[in-house]
Amino acid sequence: QFREDGFLVLEHFFTAEECDCMRNQIQRIVAEMEVPPHCRTEFSTKEEEQLQVQGSSDYFLTSGDKIRFFFEKGVLDERGNFLIPKEKSISKIGHALHAYDPVFKQVTHSSKVQELGRKLGLERPVVVQSMYIFKQPGIGGEVTPHQDATFLHTEPLGRILGFWIALEDATLENGCLWFIPGSHTSGITRRMVRAAAGASTCVEFVGSERAYDDNQFIPLPVRKGGLVLIHGEVVHKSELNSSESSRHAFTFHVMEAKDTSWSKENWLQPTPELPFPPLYT
């Protein structure tokens, strides 16, 4: 099913207790969050906004080996001060929770995740990034149609796999994922790359996203504890959360490192402090 569709839902993969443990841990992290106003960036998936905000932000570009905070649109004034309580303003936390936080590290390398990797035939998987996504009530922004390999490019393609864990029920109302089944078989047409030195932004897009018909997408509501496997080239999106309930998720990406090269042009790069850790411990 996964190879045919490019995605797969495994219901009840994590227990309610494991989900609550992750949510409690993130509450602690947010409570201790200190982000200087000049580093507060609003997270967007729209191309122009990505280039303006994240693309010009060293805070984003150097977040691959750190735990950093990104905010929803419209929650900051022009000086970077919060217009609403900070815990309600945050869009996501990335990109190295899997490496530096004990709770998320344990989940990422849990025996059931490792066993699943082996069932999928992964020989030398490494973890390249992780994110906690909040999808705040009423303001949780839409994620436009995209392929993960646009941002995490490998040679050859087909070596990136996303693990997306619903920490609360993901519903049509609060912004569940939508997929185009089978869309992982036709390559990618757009890449986000590090810009040349001296460019006005740190990253730029090469190529353009195809136009997708809304009718091609199917929604994928998932109950709390469900795991969605996401092929690196499958097209997916999520809508604005206009409901009263949040849609928390923890997600991480692995790369099959065997016979694979990670693009030196990717925004995210392994560092001497944090080489991509092996999934299998």
Side-chain angles (χ1 to χ4, degrees):
Q1 187 80 48
F2 175 70
R3 292 198 168 87
E4 194 171 304
D5 289 340
F7 61 90
L8 182 69
V9 179
L10 299 169
E11 293 282 10
H12 311 297
F13 193 82
F14 289 93
T15 65
E17 294 74 31
E18 288 170 315
C19 294
D20 294 342
C21 181
M22 286 185 261
R23 291 192 60 196
N24 293 337
Q25 183 69 353
I26 219 73
Q27 276 182 335
R28 284 193 283 272
I29 290 172
V30 171
E32 294 168 9
M33 166 177 80
E34 288 295 335
V35 183
H38 69 276
C39 290
R40 293 174 190 163
T41 57
E42 294 181 349
F43 186 73
S44 172
T45 61
K46 294 198 168 75
E47 188 167 306
E48 309 74 44
E49 293 172 356
Q50 274 185 326
L51 293 179
Q52 278 170 5
V53 181
Q54 283 129 262
S56 60
S57 167
D58 196 49
Y59 185 79
F60 169 75
L61 214 60
T62 58
S63 62
D65 62 352
K66 299 176 186 70
I67 295 175
R68 290 204 164 155
F69 305 88
F70 303 91
F71 300 92
E72 291 290 359
K73 283 198 318 209
V75 301
L76 301 169
D77 69 14
E78 62 278 5
R79 290 198 295 279
N81 299 315
F82 292 111
L83 297 170
I84 61 175
K86 66 177 184 179
E87 64 278 2
K88 291 269 188 269
S89 67
I90 193 157
S91 166
K92 66 173 208 171
I93 298 177
H95 288 90
L97 285 163
H98 64 280
Y100 295 131
D101 182 88
V103 170
F104 293 100
K105 186 175 191 174
Q106 185 178 4
V107 167
T108 304
H109 296 279
S110 60
S111 55
K112 48 191 166 190
V113 167
Q114 295 191 39
E115 185 190 348
L116 181 56
R118 292 192 169 93
K119 281 184 175 162
L120 288 163
L122 299 176
E123 292 186 53
R124 273 182 43 219
V126 295
V127 187
V128 298
Q129 70 157 7
S130 56
M131 292 183 288
Y132 191 103
I133 302 167
F134 292 81
K135 202 78 161 177
Q136 299 280 6
I139 59 168
E142 68 167 323
V143 176
T144 54
H146 68 283
Q147 299 163 289
D148 293 343
T150 286
F151 308 94
L152 309 172
H153 192 267
T154 60
E155 295 280 342
L157 282 172
R159 297 292 205 264
I160 291 290
L161 176 64
F163 290 73
W164 191 98
I165 304 157
L167 303 183
E168 303 178 281
D169 290 354
T171 65
L172 284 169
E173 294 71 39
N174 71 7
C176 69
L177 298 172
W178 293 66
F179 287 87
I180 300 180
S183 56
H184 60 301
T185 56
S186 37
I188 61 169
T189 57
R190 183 175 76 127
R191 285 184 59 192
M192 187 170 99
V193 299
R194 286 185 172 234
S200 61
T201 57
C202 305
V203 293
E204 59 193 11
F205 283 96
V206 178
S208 56
E209 198 63 72
R210 297 183 185 93
Y212 301 111
D213 183 345
D214 275 348
N215 298 328
Q216 295 175 277
F217 286 90
I218 64 158
L220 214 67
V222 187
R223 288 195 170 285
K224 175 178 176 175
L227 169 69
V228 185
L229 285 175
I230 304 174
H231 188 285
E233 282 109 83
V234 74
V235 178
H236 57 293
K237 65 173 185 175
S238 67
E239 305 291 345
L240 177 79
N241 179 4
S242 51
S243 80
E244 312 259 298
S245 56
S246 55
R247 189 222 68 188
H248 287 207
F250 175 58
T251 175
F252 58 92
H253 284 89
V254 306
M255 171 181 75
E256 170 58 90
K258 185 176 184 229
D259 303 327
T260 307
S261 63
W262 179 257
S263 172
K264 293 271 189 285
E265 295 183 312
N266 286 339
W267 76 267
L268 175 83
Q269 294 295 328
T271 63
E273 296 75 35
L274 183 63
F276 294 151
L279 181 68
Y280 302 149
T281 51

